[in-house]
Amino acid sequence: MKSKFIQNYRVVSSRHLSGGRYVLLVMVPALENDAIPAGIRPGQFVQIAVEAPGVFLRRPISINYVDYDHGTIWLLVRDAGKATHRLMQACEGDIYNIVLPLGNGFTLPAVPDCRPLLVGGGVGVAPLLHLGSELSKLGMSPEFLLGARSEADLLEMDEFKAIGQVHVSTDDGSLGHHGLVGDNPVLTSGDYNIIYCCGPGPMMKAVAKVARQRGITCEVSLENMMACGLGACLCCVEKTVKGNQCVCTAGPVFNIDQLTW
Ligand SMILES: Cc1cc2nc3c(=O)[nH]c(=O)nc-3n(C[C@H](O)[C@H](O)[C@H](O)COP(=O)(O)OP(=O)(O)OC[C@H]3O[C@@H](n4cnc5c(N)ncnc54)[C@H](O)[C@@H]3O)c2cc1C
Ligand code: FES
């Protein structure tokens, strides 16, 4: 197992998105001599301790972005329940204890002429910002296909547009393609040789189906329920072609050929 760190992080900004249902937390190590662990891979996640009534376990949250130049780490959080609701109220100066970096992360292609499509839905777009940024640094031109219920629900559009071309699917047709991500013509006929995907299960299965039909390599990031995040409690197992595997250690990113979908 690669090194994991337990560190305190201080919130330097918390910005509410999409009508307050999401918060973008920008954090720095709380101790002056502490630093963000080197070499965090896109697709890795943290386990964050949140003090809230009825919350005993840390919660897994994807690393949205790491800015080593400014020493910040970004988390994009959706208000889903007790712990994440508490994070909606996070203020500048608040300290959170975090275990990181966890999981395997996405595979970065070795060939620079790779044409990647990064597909995200809802808060599943979170790890794709870091991934797109790293692919771009490697000389590739990543494109994004982002899905949401409506235009107002699309997250971090300016940040994604700063990295590459952004295609959109909205359920209500308020922006881009009217319909599901899995039916977007960019996915069904665009010229890509790797697809990365994170979002709701049905969306990822639809994207995986298209990728399989078109013979395109595809990696998906699973969000199974987790407790320890370290491979000890076995509560996050996913059935794979190699048997049951812990999503927190063997994943959360899997090549679709490894899954039994
Ligand atoms: C690898 C990974 C990366 C994730 N990345 C993000 C992210 O970037 N941003 C984000 O907002 N959310 C992310 N999630 C989901 C997030 O962990 C859950 O929304 C959060 O744990 C819910 O906690 P809660 O106390 O707010 O909700 P609860 O009140 O505990 O439950 C609300 C809902 O959240 C789900 N849930 C609860 N606990 C967990 C858990 N430990 N693991 C997974 N699901 C859970 C339950 O199915 C339930 O439906 C990620 C999950 C995983 C596994
Ligand atoms: S969360 Fe405990 S084994 Fe994965």
Side-chain angles (χ1 to χ4, degrees):
M1 192 193 278
K2 297 231 173 80
S3 298
K4 312 291 172 214
F5 299 82
I6 304 181
Q7 295 174 312
N8 283 333
Y9 278 79
R10 179 167 51 81
V11 176
V12 290
S13 100
S14 68
R15 180 157 59 97
H16 283 263
L17 310 176
S18 187
R21 292 185 299 119
Y22 298 83
V23 67
L24 175 64
L25 299 177
V26 177
M27 307 170 114
V28 295
L31 291 176
E32 223 167 80
N33 294 328
D34 237 352
I36 298 171
I40 293 179
R41 295 166 58 95
Q44 289 192 299
F45 64 97
V46 306
Q47 283 269 62
I48 184 165
V50 180
E51 280 181 33
V55 175
F56 306 104
L57 299 168
R58 290 172 184 269
R59 295 297 196 255
I61 300 289
S62 301
I63 294 169
N64 178 220
Y65 189 66
V66 187
D67 183 346
Y68 283 109
D69 293 337
H70 297 95
T72 59
I73 192 160
W74 301 13
L75 304 182
L76 180 61
V77 182
R78 181 175 73 97
D79 189 351
K82 297 181 286 289
T84 50
H85 189 67
R86 174 67 193 87
L87 289 172
M88 294 297 121
Q89 295 144 22
C91 298
E92 194 183 322
D94 286 355
I95 307 280
Y96 287 95
N97 188 263
I98 287 177
V99 181
L100 79 168
L102 298 170
N104 57 354
F106 293 102
T107 310
L108 298 178
V111 283
D113 62 348
C114 204
R115 297 177 306 282
L117 179 68
L118 283 57
V119 185
V123 78
V125 303
L128 304 184
L129 190 67
H130 187 203
L131 175 62
S133 165
E134 291 301 305
L135 293 171
S136 172
K137 282 183 202 159
L138 290 171
M140 291 165 225
S141 303
E143 292 185 23
F144 301 94
L145 170 55
L146 307 180
R149 271 181 292 183
S150 70
E151 180 178 4
D153 295 312
L154 288 159
L155 301 166
E156 298 188 309
M157 286 292 275
D158 291 343
E159 287 82 358
F160 284 112
K161 282 180 186 164
I163 298 172
Q165 192 177 354
V166 178
H167 311 274
V168 168
S169 275
T170 49
D171 296 352
D172 65 0
S174 49
L175 190 71
H177 165 254
H178 185 177
L180 301 173
V181 156
D183 300 324
N184 191 303
V186 164
L187 176 71
T188 52
S189 54
D191 181 21
Y192 306 103
N193 49 20
I194 186 159
I195 295 173
Y196 301 99
C197 184
C198 185
M203 187 206 91
M204 290 200 285
K205 285 185 178 165
V207 171
K209 190 174 168 194
V210 175
R212 254 197 205 108
Q213 282 164 352
R214 301 190 63 206
I216 302 174
T217 303
C218 181
E219 288 189 345
V220 294
S221 182
L222 305 186
E223 291 199 355
N224 292 20
M225 186 81 91
M226 290 184 186
C228 71
L230 297 165
C233 70
L234 306 183
C235 84
C236 64
V237 288
E238 175 76 17
K239 199 172 170 194
T240 75
V241 293
K242 294 180 190 159
N244 286 340
Q245 290 196 301
C246 291
V247 170
C248 65
T249 48
V253 177
F254 291 87
N255 185 300
I256 56 169
D257 293 341
Q258 293 174 263
L259 299 173
T260 56
W261 291 1

